[in-house]
Amino acid sequence: MIKVHPTAIISGNVNLEEDVEIGPYSVIEGSITIGRGTKIGARVSIKGKVSIGQNCKIYDGAVIGEEPQHLKYAGEESEVIIKNRVIVREYVTIHRGTAIGTMKTIIEDDVMLMAYSHVAHDCIVRRGVIMANCATLGGHVEVGEYAFIGGLSAVHQWARVGSYSMVGGLSGVSLDIPPYTRASGQHALLYGINTVGLQRRGFDREVINILKKAYRVLFRSGMLKREATELLMREFGSYQEIRHLVEFINTSKRGVARDAGGKV
């Protein structure tokens, strides 16, 4: 059954699949699809062109699909795509894309957005990401799978946060954070490999040790980037994690965060 509270407002081309629930005083208007088993809390606003997958849970006060906070946005029909099993906690905001970007803001499977976090226009948040309370993404940010962004942290527009990385709370990310690393600080610096996070995700000890060696080559050896990445590919190119790390470094447009020093 579909359960819609009598105080909810639904208008436009709205498609609700089986077992969807809409809470009191929520407003659902536009070209919207909500997948099977998804639960929408009270006072939620979903507007514009929005697709939400199956078995998501959206808590009270969340705002999804509102116009992007971009001065050049001219009303184009951009969209928000939220995939399956996504948790959107209280008062989270997720804005539509722009013509300057991909026209899409995308949240992949199994993401958790804690209370008051913000995902701006044209962002891509990959599978399994966790954003803690009040974490904020500027426009065009990409967050790799299973990354963690701590509370009250902000990521600058166009920056990237790599897969399986961890950004500590109260951090400001203005440069790319490589995959598998830990970063924190007002102008976020790197503090080695995210060992605990990798262990929790089932990475082998051998792979973690190789990543630690790679980190030292990239950020502690004093080698030029080209020399360091070529060395890593010669020595450890058989590891897909090393290939992913090197590709991330080589494709950075904003530049990569620096090492903070200290024990790795």
Side-chain angles (χ1 to χ4, degrees), residues 66-68 73 76-80 95-105 120-123:
E66 190 54 270
E67 293 184 356
Y73 177 73
E76 54 265 30
E77 191 181 345
S78 52
E79 62 183 312
V80 169
H95 289 172
R96 302 199 301 268
T98 66
I100 297 170
T102 62
M103 293 282 284
K104 298 177 181 179
T105 301
H121 58 87
D122 303 294
C123 287

Side-chain angles (χ1 to χ4, degrees), residues 158 160 176 248-256:
W158 300 101
R160 299 182 299 166
D176 290 350
F248 185 97
I249 298 290
N250 286 336
T251 57
S252 176
K253 295 178 180 178
R254 288 195 57 82
V256 175

